[in-house]
């Protein structure tokens, strides 16, 4: 076992699946020889597997998504990359109207083993068109599975599961976690969808969050421990299927819940989680469920503005303190 | 092109089959048995017939919101197709799709879609798959004149061209998108001109003449199968009815309607096959009788089938129920 | 004052604004002479105002939205129609990345007085691509205002306000309400954004809902009154800005809340409302907030399936009964 | 075309101004003062200079992610532009936009956008507005070779053509989209060929020659202004640096880079204006000195400006704070 970056673990997962099954191929803008992906996730794979299976595409997001879908239903397993999550706006029809609904509309005639990879999040000062977190749109789209790995171990196990899944999977990454390192086993493993992971056990408050905010929450939990507040931190790992059980059990234990994501607040995934938990654990809640999100604005460019936009550790800590 | 008698009979049969199917649909619709809306293929039969006659069973087609004709011509089971239109559990989509999503995957229909132009990328992706899997399969991708104004059209033509994919783009230019004349929405006379910008060979044919469509399709399919890449075939044709269920299509000049009704696709191919000695008037009638029986039987099957159970609405979202 | 259909009231609103201000114009597919809009909302307007100001467009959703935006920032006030709400998937970039963010990204340099009209909802057996309710996506898009009129009186007053608003407005209609009639005054009136309307007063349970579900909820409330359950029914009228005050006050009075929309459940607008209310009225809630939505599936075609999909009055009634 | 000495000087000045601005940006970037990413316009100056020189003040341009050159050439205030790149409160977008959204609306910049090709529909809509408002205003809409593969390209060309809108499409074909050579992604040699399918006149010019660009633009702008509808100008040009901040552009053959560095846009226009007797070497130098001073002053302004207050992030979402 060795420490690997999230980026490398993800690449390893892609590579192992490409070695295992020759139907698996990658397509997207600048994923190939000349660039290796905007975040270098696929670097080296075109060299190893050739330009057919690590396929650079034109800047045609909707057709990338649709072509991947057409390939998926006819015997291949495409992993299509949309370079930035913000650009999925251009592929919403093929992803949400076609891929997500195809099995259903056709009464189960087709299997749709396609994976759409993309990346969310701010922190790089690249402004409103390259920094959003739009996972909530897909949670509101029946027919899609959604993975939101935040750790190197998970990203590898989940990408492998995504590729083997017979349904369309939205596989979301986060810009600021590519460089994070974690122990990643050398032997093969898969992580089932729908199983949250308790990243830290605690008794006073449950914190549920995704991506970079999960990392921040863990740091905050560490700090709060010093103040005597024991925080349990839950990583959903997939949003669809959603592991409600782990979360509800935790809330039943702590009686308090803080939800933390980098999404703009209104209509975020945290709204759904709050709605579920208040419904299913009403009698166990000792305080209102608090949400810590970005404000309802586009993502600003300038560093002080963006830092204000992205939820800070201090905001998370305050939210936790406010419910205990 | 020398076309065998067998092929001529095939073209006549396909064209007529689609016609009779659509007439049955119209009839059932009149009886209030078809829920929702309906985009009839009446008038355009020669396009589906001509193109699919040039394809093998293992080839694929991508359909549209006006898809009945495509799937029937490709060899779909008529029982399952009609039952689908009526929303029955025995329908090919178990009643979940209906007219706009009428699909029979097992005969090579990739799908019918309600979003105009959305099938084009899917067809291109299927063609990519045909090529990458090392097969000789070809995809025929149908869409309308209106669809050619949607962004995916250009994206898809380009992708097919740069990768030299085995796909035949079939533009069914029926002169209207709903009530909008294509001449208001397209600056050129032929949509086919757009293919040139992508270095894709194109041809404009009489879309009411199944033989002409067939000949163009054979060449295009050959090119695709041999690795020569995509072709665009523009078929000039016409809807014999309105756009959808309740559209009386009053926006169309009567002379125009008359002009096209006089070029009826079934009459046209019938005349050709008889002239070419492939069928006698009597043979043609026999075929019609036989097809009509099949269609009627399918109608009965559909009408007598059960509706799905309400809770079936929860199935088929994913491979397994989550 | 006369009874008018929702359709006619909407048309009247459009017409009055076009008469008032010549910068106002309409654009969209088949809205003009030959068709008058898929739901006949604009019928007659091209005859009156000409084909320049009631402008038929090609089937180019993203460019319709973008062209409207370009016209809006340079001195016109476009009302662009996307024929079906499901097709907004094709225009998400221009609406959510461009129109919604333009004022912000450019630091307030541009005003964006554009209205995007579209229609949601099932009930017409036109299956997965023509029946969705996607308003939640836009609630999660900072920079957009959102109107969701369910009544003839409101649709007229709100469209006029939308047209006069300097920011992009998503103006959503519902297929099944076009024919509903209500008294609509002859004299001009506007309805401010962000003011909910209590459509029925009651003491036991608050019901909040939109569109056709609001109408159904009112019927259900009538029925439940006979059982001795007094239901207060709230119509938000706009989702952004959202009138939290009216809702929270009502919940503080009744202690119980049922949310009813035709959206698929996960990630719906009702999730956001639940999250807000549990946060802001925690101590007043006597029961968990219940959500009544469609199941998490695409919209099926066949009548019995679609009827199962769309929340029934019975489901609403049960939810209300379950919290009292 | 007979081009006056005044115009020649103008072309030289604009080209050089953009160059010096970008060099300043590169310099500030080297000092770690420019947050985020950066798409430099270095090498392509002649395109922005030639096109904007053919426009009036009241005309509009639509920019891209590689927009610094466009806005500077259109006459933007350099202080506000540089301050924006540094994320300062004095920036034209108050620091909210940065490099990819650098915009100065008051000099006729509709906007710079981070989504490739997304400006094309906006430019077309602005042109519709120019026409409907009864003005003689014209829109020049810039975009890259890569953008021409996005769906909005075809949709927008079509809409401009059918409505005969006063828009000039300017394709800056710098041979690459990030690391992807356009020749891999476009089947034709010239992107301009795609215009023909939409009945739009087009011309291919040396995009490193401001005079050639200008002459093509003058004709296109005239056509647009007189109601003759859109034109597409394809400018062959080249990025002198990588795509973005950290791209060393190793994927480009050294001969190719050399070839293009030898056709430097500033050198080229300087040579032309001197040859044509519009300027002496000394005049040219004087202009450079003057511009350099302006640029340096702008740099100081930007560096010395304050950052916005964190809470300013909450402003400008709507006209009024809700
Ligand atoms: C993307 C999209 N826009 C609009 C519609 C509404 N609509 C359905 S069919 C149609 C006309 C399509 O015209 P065309 O492509 O020529 O096909 P035809 O109906 O003539 O067969 C329109 C506008 C739609 N379904 N999808
Ligand atoms: C729709 C979209 N897809 C992908 C990207 C990522 N991206 C940014 S610039 C760029 C290349 C654009 O190439 P081109 O249009 O030729 O412009 P250039 O950078 O050469 O000026 C890409 C792919 C994006 N910003 N928007
Ligand atoms: Mg048509
Ligand atoms: Mg380029």
């Amino acid at each position: 076992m060795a420490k690997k970056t999230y980026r490398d673990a993800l690449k390893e997962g892609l590579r192992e699946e490409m070695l295992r099954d020759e139907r698996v191929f990658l397509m997207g803008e600048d994923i190939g020889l000349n660039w290796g992906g905007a975040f270098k996730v696929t670097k080296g794979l075109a060299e190893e597997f050739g330009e057919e299976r690590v396929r650079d595409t034109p800047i045609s997001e909707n057709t990338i998504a649709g072509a991947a879908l057409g390939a998926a239903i006819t015997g291949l397993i495409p992993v299509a990359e949309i370079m930035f999550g913000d650009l999925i706006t251009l592929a919403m029809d093929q992803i949400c109207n076609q891929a997500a609904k195809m099995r259903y509309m056709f009464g189960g005639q087709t299997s749709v083993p396609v994976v759409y990879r993309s990346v969310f999040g701010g922190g790089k000062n690249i402004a409103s068109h390259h920094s959003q977190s739009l996972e909530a749109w897909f949670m509101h789209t029946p027919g899609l599975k959604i993975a939101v790995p935040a750790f190197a171990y998970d990203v590898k196990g989940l990408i492998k599961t995504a590729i083997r899944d017979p349904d369309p999977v939205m596989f979301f990454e986060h810009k600021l976690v590519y460089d994070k390192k974690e122990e990643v086993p050398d032997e093969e493993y898969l992580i089932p969808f729908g199983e949250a992971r308790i990243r830290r056990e605690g008794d006073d408050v449950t914190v549920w969050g995704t991506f970079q905010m999960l990392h921040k929450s863990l740091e905050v939990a560490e700090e709060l421990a010093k103040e005597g507040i024991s925080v349990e931190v839950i990583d959903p790992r997939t949003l669809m299927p959603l592991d409600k059980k782990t979360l509800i059990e935790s809330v039943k234990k702590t009686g308090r819940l803080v939800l933390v994501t980098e999404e703009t607040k209104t209509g975020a995934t945290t709204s759904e989680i709050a709605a579920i938990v208040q419904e299913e654990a009403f009698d166990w809640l000792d305080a209102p469920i608090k949400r810590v999100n970005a404000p309802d604005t586009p993502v600003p460019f300038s560093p002080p503005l963006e830092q204000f936009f992205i939820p800070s550790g201090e905001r998370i800590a305050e939210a936790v303190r406010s419910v205990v | 092109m020398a076309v065998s008698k067998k092929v001529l009979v095939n073209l006549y049969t396909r064209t007529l089959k689609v016609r009779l199917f659509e007439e049955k649909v119209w009839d059932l619709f009149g009886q209030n048995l078809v829920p929702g809306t309906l985009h009839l293929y009446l008038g355009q039969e020669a396009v589906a017939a001509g193109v699919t006659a040039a394809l093998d069973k293992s080839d694929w087609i991508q359909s549209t919101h006006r898809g009945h004709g495509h799937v029937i011509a490709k060899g779909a089971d008529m029982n399952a197709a009609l039952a689908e239109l009526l929303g029955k559990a025995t329908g090919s989509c178990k009643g979940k799709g209906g007219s706009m999503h009428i699909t029979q995957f097992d005969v090579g229909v990739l799908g019918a879609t309600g979003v105009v132009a959305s099938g084009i990328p899917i067809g291109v992706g299927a063609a990519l798959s045909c090529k990458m899997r090392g097969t000789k399969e070809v995809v025929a991708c149908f869409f309308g004149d209106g669809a050619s104004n949607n962004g995916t059209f250009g994206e898809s033509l380009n992708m097919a061209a740069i990768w030299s994919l085995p796909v035949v783009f079939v533009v069914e230019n029926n002169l209207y998108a709903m009530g909008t004349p294509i001449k208001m929405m397209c600056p050129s006379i032929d949509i086919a001109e757009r293919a040139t910008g992508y270095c894709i060979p194109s041809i404009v044919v009489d879309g009411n003449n199944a033989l002409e469509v067939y000949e163009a399709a054979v060449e295009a399919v050959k090119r695709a199968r041999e690795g020569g890449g995509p072709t665009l075939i523009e078929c000039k044709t016409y809807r014999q009815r309105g756009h959808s269920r309740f559209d009386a299509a009053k926006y169309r000049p009567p002379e125009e309607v008359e002009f096209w009704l006089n070029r009826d696709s079934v009459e046209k191919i019938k005349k050709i096959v008889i002239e070419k000695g492939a069928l006698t008037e009597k043979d043609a009638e026999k075929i019609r009788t036989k097809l009509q029986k099949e269609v009627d039987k399918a109608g009965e099957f559909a009408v007598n089938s059960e509706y799905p159970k309400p809770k079936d609405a929860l199935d088929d979202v994913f491979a397994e129920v989550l």
Side-chain angles (χ1 to χ4, degrees), chain A residues 29 59 61 83 87 90 130:
Chain A
E29 296 159 18
I59 306 177
E61 280 75 9
M83 194 185 284
L87 310 174
L90 289 160
H130 288 79

Side-chain angles (χ1 to χ4, degrees), chain B residues 65-66 114-116 144-147 174 176-178 243:
Chain B
H65 62 285
R66 197 177 298 287
V115 180
V116 167
D145 48 289
N174 60 9
Y176 289 85
M178 288 183 60
H243 165 71

Side-chain angles (χ1 to χ4, degrees), chain B residues 21 34 55 77 90 120 184 201 209 224 230 264 266 293 301 308 315:
Chain B
F21 182 88
V34 185
L55 296 175
D77 176 63
T90 52
I120 318 181
M184 259 179 79
N209 183 334
D264 182 83
V266 172
K293 257 193 206 144
F301 172 85
D315 301 338

Side-chain angles (χ1 to χ4, degrees), chain B residues 27-299:
Chain B
D27 174 41
L28 293 168
F29 167 66
Q31 298 172 49
N32 239 319
L33 290 168
V34 185
T37 193
L38 201 58
H39 305 104
L40 285 174
Y41 200 67
L42 281 174
Q44 305 182 196
E45 300 85 353
V47 179
V51 171
T52 57
L55 296 175
D56 288 345
K57 272 224 161 122
S58 54
D59 291 328
W60 303 89
I61 64 166
Q62 170 63 45
S63 181
T64 66
H65 62 285
R66 197 177 298 287
H68 314 171
H70 307 142
V71 301
I72 296 303
K74 187 65 171 67
D77 176 63
M78 288 203 283
N79 287 5
L82 266 181
E84 185 57 36
L85 293 176
L86 270 55
K88 299 302 180 75
T90 52
S92 51
C93 309
K94 303 181 191 161
K96 291 207 170 83
S99 170
M100 277 193 277
H101 306 291
I102 187 172
T103 293
Q104 292 192 19
F105 198 74
D106 58 358
V107 297
V109 181
L110 294 164
T113 168
V115 180
V116 167
S118 67
I120 318 181
I122 300 170
V124 165
L128 173 61
S129 157
C130 295
K131 187 171 174 167
M132 286 181 71
R133 285 182 291 111
T135 72
K136 288 280 172 201
E137 296 161 19
V138 165
V139 178
C141 185
F142 293 95
F143 53 93
D145 48 289
S148 69
N149 289 331
N150 205 270
T152 53
F153 167 83
E155 291 188 354
S156 295
L157 259 65
N158 185 54
M159 214 178 263
I162 56 172
W163 295 340
S164 209
L165 299 181
V167 55
V168 181
F169 297 109
V170 184
V171 186
E172 301 192 64
N173 185 347
N174 60 9
L175 312 195
Y176 289 85
M178 288 183 60
T180 304
I182 182 67
K183 63 172 186 272
M184 259 179 79
M185 294 300 156
C186 172
S188 60
I189 290 171
D190 297 323
I191 291 162
E193 290 184 33
R194 298 185 187 177
T196 314
Y198 297 98
C199 303
I200 294 177
S202 67
I203 179 171
V204 180
V205 300
D206 176 358
N208 280 19
N209 183 334
L211 180 57
E212 218 183 277
V213 173
Y214 172 76
E215 288 176 337
V218 165
E219 199 181 313
V221 168
K222 185 164 178 280
R223 177 177 299 127
R225 224 185 281 292
E226 291 174 354
T231 305
L232 185 146
I233 303 176
E234 177 173 355
C235 304
K236 306 279 194 190
T237 182
Y238 205 68
R239 298 181 324 231
Q240 291 191 347
R241 312 255 164 185
H243 165 71
S244 56
R245 193 155 183 150
F246 295 114
D247 173 28
K250 297 225 174 94
Y251 44 80
R252 304 195 300 190
E255 318 80 68
E256 184 186 277
V257 178
E258 205 193 312
F259 173 83
W260 283 95
L261 289 180
N262 286 337
R263 301 162 59 123
D264 182 83
S265 60
V266 172
E267 291 310 311
K268 195 165 250 183
I269 190 65
K270 187 175 155 194
K271 190 152 168 266
I272 292 172
V273 295
I274 290 176
E275 268 174 20
K276 300 218 177 209
L279 285 180
T280 64
E281 180 78 47
K282 218 169 137 188
D283 299 333
E285 215 37 53
K286 253 194 217 152
I287 292 175
R288 176 186 283 269
T289 312
K290 182 167 162 284
L291 288 173
Q292 187 64 57
K293 257 193 206 144
E294 277 180 50
V295 168
D296 288 344
K297 260 185 59 190

Side-chain angles (χ1 to χ4, degrees), chain A residues 152-207:
Chain A
Y153 176 84
D154 290 343
V155 80
K156 181 171 175 189
L158 289 170
I159 192 71
K160 288 168 66 81
T161 303
I163 288 171
R164 299 184 194 189
D165 197 285
D167 292 306
V169 177
M170 304 306 296
F171 197 88
F172 293 130
E173 301 151 27
H174 188 286
K175 293 177 195 76
L176 295 196
V177 303
Y178 284 125
D179 291 321
K180 297 228 185 263
K181 287 190 174 180
E182 200 186 19
E183 299 282 342
V184 175
D186 294 320
E187 55 281 12
E188 158 152 294
Y189 63 96
L190 286 106
I191 299 175
F193 280 13
E195 290 190 9
R197 181 162 162 188
I198 299 176
R199 293 238 154 237
R200 179 192 176 100
E201 300 207 10
D203 299 312
D204 298 335
V205 182
T206 303
V207 170

